[in-house]
Amino acid sequence: MAGGAREVLTLQLGHFAGFVGAHWWNQQDAALCRPTDAKEPPGELCPDVLYRTGRTLHGQETYTPRLILMDLKGSLSSLKQEGGLYRDKQLDAAIAWQGKLTTHKEELYPKNPYLQDLLSAEGVLNSDGIWRVKSIPNGKGPPPFTTAATPKPVIPTEGSIRVWSDFLRVHLHPRSICMIQKYNHDGETGRLEAFGQGESILKEPKYLEELEDRLHFYVEECDYLQGFQILCDLHNGFSGVGAKAAELLQDEYSGRGIITWGLLPGPYRLREPQKNIYRLLNTAFGLVHLSAHSSLVCPLSLGGSLGLQPEPPVNFPHLQYDAALPFHCGAILATALDTVTVPYRLCSSPVSMVHLADMLNFSGKKVVTAGATIPFPLVPSQSLPDTLMQLGEATPWTPLSACGDPSGTCCFAQSVVLRGLDTACHTSQLTPGTPLPSLLHACTTGEEVLAQYLQQQQPRVRSSSHLLLTPCKVVPPYPYLFSSSLSQQGLVLDGPPTGAAVESIPVLGALCSSSSLNRTLGDLAKDLARVDLRRWASFMDAGVEQDDLEETLQELRSLAQCYQSGNSLLD
């Protein structure tokens, strides 16, 4: 829309959502801090969609995520709840009492070495206790001061990462973090384990009012709010928090897009039966309730199954990752998220959240699947038509919604984004007169190549596609997951390894309304039907009754029927 960005407010609910979100915001931050010799043209993605400008009490201009995040007591480590950019007014108030004072100070968590290095690289803490940033990240104004050299960053090790705030390099607004003090992040007691517990949190006036106040603060300063994206843990009680938050947004902000990303960590562990049953129940209740109140819901996981049947985690040919580490899983899912959300973050001709959802969710299909090729396997000597032709007829992306092998399934609608390829390789470079290996080689633009490829793959599918030059940034603290066969720009080397660290990668990402959800949601319903809630009294104690289970089971079955192969818009 002319005249301003179409703003999005992000809600980040839960600890695994925190890992995905920290990587997501780090990647946004890396994209903002473009070097002066950057090859990709500026302006493809609009940072103002996700960020807001502000000013501290001391006149310092800031640029922070338009974000509300909720997590449990003990999850912040060394991160202050009010963030580090703004000074609390209460701390600046003069103390009227002139008598003797006794100060009780809680022992602070030690700051991760990576973050200590980050502070020295990005700003200074003045003697008055005020943090001074070196520059406004998107270059909207002159930097307050400059430095001659930037220290080489410390790369965080997996062992140094306990919580998501250990590697978050983005400064947050004081209104971003909302802590749920009645439940603990650590320990075996006082955990937020069940859907009903999460629902009840936002029924309490204290937490409901706090969320509403933060929503109003961010929404009222928006000129063209297009909607909300919710990053929400599905496997624990935050599925209930997310469901109530989505219901609140639907009631208060009718007509705005609400896209929910239901996040699940790595595969089940067979020796943890209670956690597995709770994960099943929370996922089922979460998907049903979130789909009722969201424009679109997409499960995101590197696991192979949403149900109780254990499946191995998904495989990426050029990545080596540990599925048991949220630090690894969160990075990969954030990279996929950074790609599939491109349509509603574009500077030029963006697709609004509402229109994206409308394209994908017809005939009651509120749940979609995600997939990504990380990185997209382009060899420098090849063109995009060459690479796509080599992929053959198989699904070109790795499934990321725990729906199993997509082969043999059909797609009803899809939104596809390919990013990070230089213009020179978009079309065929064959010598004139050379026989064309495929129709793709006859296309004159990269956009035409991608659209033609998708048409060949799924001839009767409603498709939307975008081709961007801007790659995904994977600089530290992004974990080093890449094989030695990749170049610094993430291309597949056709020669010996160069030894240079991968800094950016091309990515192919997709959102699909797929018939694979018929089997996945149907299997989830079968697992749910076998659960005897009387054996899991603590789940019922949280406010869920047998009738609720039966209703959720019926809704799940109805949702699964929407994705039968013959239920196509074009049939």
Side-chain angles (χ1 to χ4, degrees), residues 374-391:
I374 305 174
F376 183 73
L378 185 78
V379 176
S381 60
Q382 291 184 336
S383 66
L384 176 58
D386 296 330
T387 305
L388 292 175
M389 194 175 73
Q390 288 174 1
L391 292 175

Side-chain angles (χ1 to χ4, degrees), residues 526-538:
K526 290 176 184 176
D527 284 346
L528 191 63
R530 288 193 287 264
V531 174
D532 183 357
L533 267 189
R534 291 171 298 181
R535 291 187 57 197
W536 310 101
S538 56

